[in-house]
Amino acid sequence: MRKKKNLLAEEDEVDFISCCDAETLKFVIPPKKYKLNVLIHALVAGPMCGLGFRYLLPTTLNALYYNNTGATVMLFIFGWFTLLIAQYPLTTGAPPETATYRTTDILELSALMRSFYVYIFVSFDLLHRYYPDTFLLTNQVLHVIFVFLPLFWTVGVLAPIDSFFLYALEQAHVFLFGGSYMASDIRLLVMVTLSTCVFIGAYFIKVSLGTIILCALAGYLLSTDLGGLGTQLLALITRNRVSASRTDVREPDREESGKKFLWKWGIFEFLYHVVMLAVVCVIAGLLNKNSTSFSTDSWKILGYCIIGVCVLEKVVRDLQGVFIVFGLWRNMLFPKTVRQQRIFQYRKLWLTPLGVMRRGLVNWVGPFLMLSYLSVTITSTDPTSVSIRDHLDLATGVWYVFGTVRAFRWIWQSTVHALLELSVVHIVMVTMDTNTTVIKWGIPILAMLASLCRDRLYQLSNKLYFYITLLISSWTDKKQRRDSSIPIIVVSIILFPLIFGVIAIASALSVPLLPLFTLPLVLFSFPRHLRSWPEDVGGSANSCPDTNFYRQLAPELSKAFSAGFASGSIGEASPGNHYLVRFQDRLIWVMVLERGSSYCTINIKGLELQETSCHTVEAARIDDIFECAFEVPESICAVGRLNEYPLHCLTPLDSYYLNAYSDARNILTGIIDSPSSTDDTMKAFLRSLVWVLLKYVNKMKVKQMKDKKSAKFDRELSFIAQNEKHELKEINSSNNTNSRTIPQKNTALQPLVPDFTRETRSPTPPPIVKAKQNKMASSWGSLDSFTDSIFSDDGNNTKKKPSKPPAALKPIPARNKSPEIEDLFDELDIGLPAYDVTKPKPTPQKFGGAKSFGNAIYKPQTNLAGSPDFKSPYSSQLSLPKEWRELPLDNSQVSRLMNKFPADWYRFVLKTLDWSCEEQTKEKVLQDVMGDDALRNCYSQLTMACYSIFEGQGYSGPSLLYKCYMGEVSINAMWDWLGEHTDLQNLVKKAFRYGFKLMMDQMLLGEMTSDLEWQEALEEYDNDWYIGLEKDPEWTTAVLASTPNLFSIGHNNTQNTYSSRTLTLQSMDVSIGRLNPEVVRGQWANLALELLYMTNDDEERYSIQAHPVILRNLTVQAADPPLGYPIYSSKPISVPLL
């Protein structure tokens, strides 16, 4: 007999000591998280129970249902059952709700959800008591529904409080005020508040003309990107606060570079909107004021024009996409291929006039035509003295003003939909001109109803498509076929009227259609806002190194969507639409969050690049769909070609070429393990190091010279200003002296001396120790005699001269100072400040003294000469920094490598440097510098000292090259010394990586035979490449800066193979398709139910497995964290549609 397994884990088992123990009571009645909620919940529970008691009194029920005893008894019993269930979470902790919206209930709002709905039902009972005739039927129906509330709470069709309010605000904003679904909750609250203020103003204005002008101006203004303006101002304020508290300079926003008109608010954007407001005001005011003088056929002519523009816009929009007729028939005007960039873009130019035409229709012609139509038709008998609601009752007047406010805003907020809705309204007005209801409601109320019907019909068609696709694919797709598939299909056919009713209710309420576990078993979910998730857009993502590729591509992709939405090639930018972008092995999910006048707001999500098996199956199907849509063989005629995947949730739209990174990974077997790879790399490393060092030092010195000149110029300007003030002060002083009757002694002001001519060094040198005297004497006596001190070791190799008494050095006039002399003063420590000779002499740190770097202690053995050794006065421009001049190697260690130094290459590189700061000609400067052996010795010793790091590593071959490339060098004196000079260490790493890449290039492309080829390669590396490691911060910076090429290497420990990775920024074709929005919303609703309520986080659960038709795995990935796992999610991006 098999023993049953206990399904409860040990940590889930609870042992109670007794029934009345404190732990037992704590388990039965969980405490509140916050003590304040004890009081709040009690204050909510008391009135609810009192009103509920009155709500369920037998006398109330008898009066309501005409003394029907059966109805009274049933409603009384089950009503109290409902009331107690609503009371329970207020007394104890809230139980898990099926309708879970947030992952964590921080404020304990779930405890208030049930009581909230009880209060709604009770409020209608109170209204019925005051208005018995108006709310009688409503109260009777709600009493019956009241007893079914526990069933609704169990099924999860009633929304939590926060979700319900956001849903209600969105619906009111769209269908009452004519606004849009918003990109954030803050924007929604602000826009609803502003819209309410406009409604109040329009309602209480007693003049029709004033109401129309207010609605017209507010309609255009509120339809602009005010949310983007607020975000921009907030970012500016935050940036100023941060910059005020920090000293570093913030880099400019990369995503804002290269963007033009309407990408962000600026002076031109403000001027454009001001001009548009003026035009709107003039048109609306003049037409409404003179509306009574127009002929009766004028508004009909405008209406027919609106119908014509609506049809023309639809035709122009569809002719630019790859499919027409609801995505079933391929457009013969669309190019046959997208792989050949020149042919594709040339053929797309033929469609450009259609895009330009649509921009004009949607942005100006259509809105102004509808503005004229509304200004003429929405009026009163006397626009200058009579209100638009003068002839209406209270209720109809309120709805009429709502419709007026909405109509004037909707024509800008969603022009394409407004064209269709007003076309339908105009047909109704013309064909039913004698109907009293139509005449009473007028165009505002009819337009509001038409918009609501259009939206619900769109949702109904998409939800039906979703359900039918699920039902059919459950049998046609073998991997989705289950034992229960046939029974489900049979039951679905039999109960289709019931299922259709569920779909219709979900569409009417604008809630997601919930497929249980993504099976063709559907219910409707609880109401939620269009974004589906409570977190802020772009607030979180599962970031990884591949995230940077999506961050780099996001600005380029937003420009493509801007062009596509503006021209209409990717359809109308309706909030709630989802788009899938495919290129190479990457998938990007784009959602439209907000739509307004000449703009829309999108969110870009990047899906993981490391494809799982489920990911691969769905990605392969996506590739097949785009391949069949965009690639038509020349032998096949495109006319009459049908969509091969009509029941797929993805419909191909268009393709664009964007600058994106192509990712090439190659195995280095045969290259890195070649016998000559190490030698070739080290030879290239020497050349690269010479190049890098000279370029770095030259660039640094040129910058210093320019900064000095700039500082001197600033001091001269400051002296001129001070001199003028000084002269004014003398004039004022003399005038005051002459005006006095008693003569006083006048003290003359001292003349100003400019700062840049003052002596900055003491005219009398400080006492000099004997060793320094000898060194100075040799230095000042003859610079030529000092060249042999380059290899000096503690002065042993220096020529000795007879001791002489120290002679006082003459001060050097400031006008004769040169940069070389100033460097000399700095190095010899003479001049200011003067010090007291009676104090103990400081012990100088000799280059033979011990220093500690990290864990290693070494004694510098080689001291590189400084500027006093140079024979050329121009060599100081390449003088090594002082901290690089003490090397921790013996002279003999460096001398044995000197024959490998590329002297010819060194002289060639000197010719490529910037000598613009010198007054002499470049030829003269180069002649002197190239003949300076002291400078060459400095660089040769430093170069070969760095070369010695990689020579004695104890291993060779691929492991040597890989470890040195990665910077994993065995610790030695030189490498430890470089650790204290990170700038020099980074240059050495950079040079070695250059050398490795040069070795690869020579093996693959052929050996370089001339210095010009080496120069060309290294200049290309400096300008167009980043060669380093993927884990380095500089790699991320290079990707975000759109560096043309990136290179790195890696090692597979399992297979013991080395690989390279090359990223190349190039123009790549990007395919764009639109997803069925209800398919996405339905799967996300099921995901929330499974993970938040059922807590089924099994990675192999059925609802996350690959489904090639509805793209189940990718849709789950695209959900917001923590339920989904996109690796990149952008903040809301506003893109212009002009």
Side-chain angles (χ1 to χ4, degrees), residues 433-482:
D433 55 347
T434 58
N435 189 293
T436 56
T437 303
V438 171
I439 295 174
K440 180 181 178 181
W441 286 356
I443 289 179
I445 298 179
L446 290 177
M448 187 161 39
L449 292 176
S451 178
L452 185 64
C453 293
R454 177 203 53 80
D455 180 77
R456 293 329 190 228
L457 285 175
Y458 279 9
Q459 291 194 36
L460 178 63
S461 62
N462 288 329
K463 286 180 170 65
L464 274 175
Y465 170 86
F466 179 29
Y467 174 73
I468 293 173
T469 300
L470 271 179
L471 192 64
I472 295 176
S473 62
S474 65
W475 177 256
T476 56
D477 191 341
K478 294 182 179 180
K479 293 187 177 180
Q480 308 303 324
R481 192 178 301 172
R482 305 166 61 87

Side-chain angles (χ1 to χ4, degrees), residues 1053-1122:
N1053 295 324
T1054 305
Q1055 302 178 356
N1056 194 26
T1057 58
Y1058 299 91
S1059 61
S1060 67
R1061 184 182 188 185
T1062 304
L1063 301 178
T1064 304
L1065 188 66
Q1066 58 186 359
S1067 183
M1068 302 175 59
D1069 63 296
V1070 175
S1071 301
I1072 301 176
R1074 181 177 59 246
L1075 295 163
N1076 187 312
E1078 293 303 325
V1079 173
V1080 177
R1081 293 186 70 197
Q1083 293 186 76
W1084 282 356
N1086 175 74
L1087 176 66
L1089 177 67
E1090 280 198 74
L1091 295 187
L1092 298 182
Y1093 177 71
M1094 299 180 181
T1095 63
N1096 181 18
D1097 58 351
D1098 184 7
E1099 294 182 355
E1100 299 299 327
R1101 64 186 185 274
Y1102 173 76
S1103 59
I1104 202 176
Q1105 299 302 313
H1107 196 306
V1109 178
I1110 62 173
L1111 304 179
R1112 186 165 51 196
N1113 184 263
L1114 295 178
T1115 305
V1116 170
Q1117 285 187 49
D1120 283 1

Side-chain angles (χ1 to χ4, degrees), residues 173 178-183 187 191 219-227 262 272-273 358 362-363 367 409-417 565-566 572-575 592-602 1133-1138:
H173 187 235
S180 168
Y181 299 94
M182 304 306 291
R187 291 189 185 187
M191 296 305 292
Y220 178 81
L221 185 61
L222 295 181
S223 67
T224 58
D225 190 15
L226 296 181
L262 287 180
Y272 171 77
H273 291 305
R358 184 184 182 273
V362 174
N363 292 294
R409 182 175 177 185
W410 190 244
I411 62 176
W412 300 103
Q413 196 83 53
S414 184
T415 304
V416 174
H417 293 155
F565 284 139
E572 169 64 10
S574 298
V592 180
L593 303 172
E594 188 178 326
R595 173 69 160 92
S597 176
S598 305
Y599 87 98
C600 74
T601 303
I602 63 175
I1133 302 174
S1134 294
V1135 297
L1137 304 183
L1138 280 181

Side-chain angles (χ1 to χ4, degrees), residues 198-215 383 385-389 401:
V198 174
F199 166 77
I200 294 174
Y203 184 83
F204 287 103
I205 291 178
K206 299 299 183 180
V207 179
S208 172
L209 180 61
T211 301
I212 297 303
I213 292 178
L214 173 63
C215 293
S385 60
V386 180
S387 173
I388 59 173
R389 58 182 180 85
V401 175

Side-chain angles (χ1 to χ4, degrees), residues 705-899:
M705 295 291 289
K706 291 181 178 179
D707 291 343
K708 287 181 180 179
K709 291 181 179 179
S710 177
K712 181 178 179 181
F713 181 72
D714 292 340
R715 289 197 301 269
E716 291 177 353
L717 292 180
S718 176
F719 169 73
I720 294 173
Q722 292 179 5
N723 191 28
E724 292 178 353
K725 292 180 180 179
H726 185 78
E727 293 177 354
L728 291 175
K729 188 180 295 184
E730 287 184 340
I731 295 173
N732 293 334
S733 177
S734 61
N735 292 337
N736 293 335
T737 303
N738 296 333
S739 62
R740 294 174 182 173
T741 55
I742 302 175
Q744 296 181 1
K745 184 178 180 180
N746 184 21
T747 304
L749 296 175
Q750 298 296 326
L752 289 178
V753 180
D755 293 337
F756 51 87
T757 60
R758 293 178 183 172
E759 288 291 339
T760 58
R761 303 187 183 274
S762 174
T764 305
I768 305 174
V769 294
K770 184 176 181 180
K772 187 166 287 189
Q773 291 173 359
N774 294 337
K775 186 174 181 181
M776 288 178 57
S778 62
S779 301
W780 287 97
S782 173
L783 289 176
D784 296 338
S785 65
F786 204 78
T787 56
D788 57 352
S789 67
I790 298 173
F791 302 104
S792 61
D793 185 4
D794 201 16
N796 294 335
N797 297 331
T798 308
K799 294 182 180 180
K800 296 183 179 180
K801 295 185 179 183
S803 299
K804 295 181 182 180
L809 297 177
K810 296 182 180 180
I812 301 174
R815 63 179 180 273
N816 294 330
K817 290 181 183 177
S818 65
E820 293 81 2
I821 301 301
E822 290 188 359
D823 288 343
L824 174 63
F825 283 148
D826 293 337
E827 292 171 11
L828 297 183
D829 296 329
I830 64 176
L832 284 178
Y835 56 88
D836 191 355
V837 296
T838 61
K839 290 185 178 180
K841 300 177 182 179
T843 304
Q845 178 67 45
K846 298 182 180 179
F847 50 77
K851 289 184 181 180
S852 176
F853 295 89
N855 297 326
I857 300 177
Y858 68 89
K859 295 181 178 181
Q861 300 295 325
T862 302
N863 183 21
L864 303 182
S867 56
D869 304 83
F870 297 146
K871 297 179 180 179
S872 170
Y874 310 111
S875 297
S876 63
Q877 193 167 338
L878 293 176
S879 175
L880 292 173
K882 287 184 290 186
E883 60 271 15
W884 295 3
R885 299 177 188 173
E886 294 181 350
L887 304 180
L889 298 177
D890 187 77
N891 182 30
S892 60
Q893 294 178 278
V894 180
S895 299
R896 64 184 180 84
L897 301 173
M898 292 300 295
N899 60 336

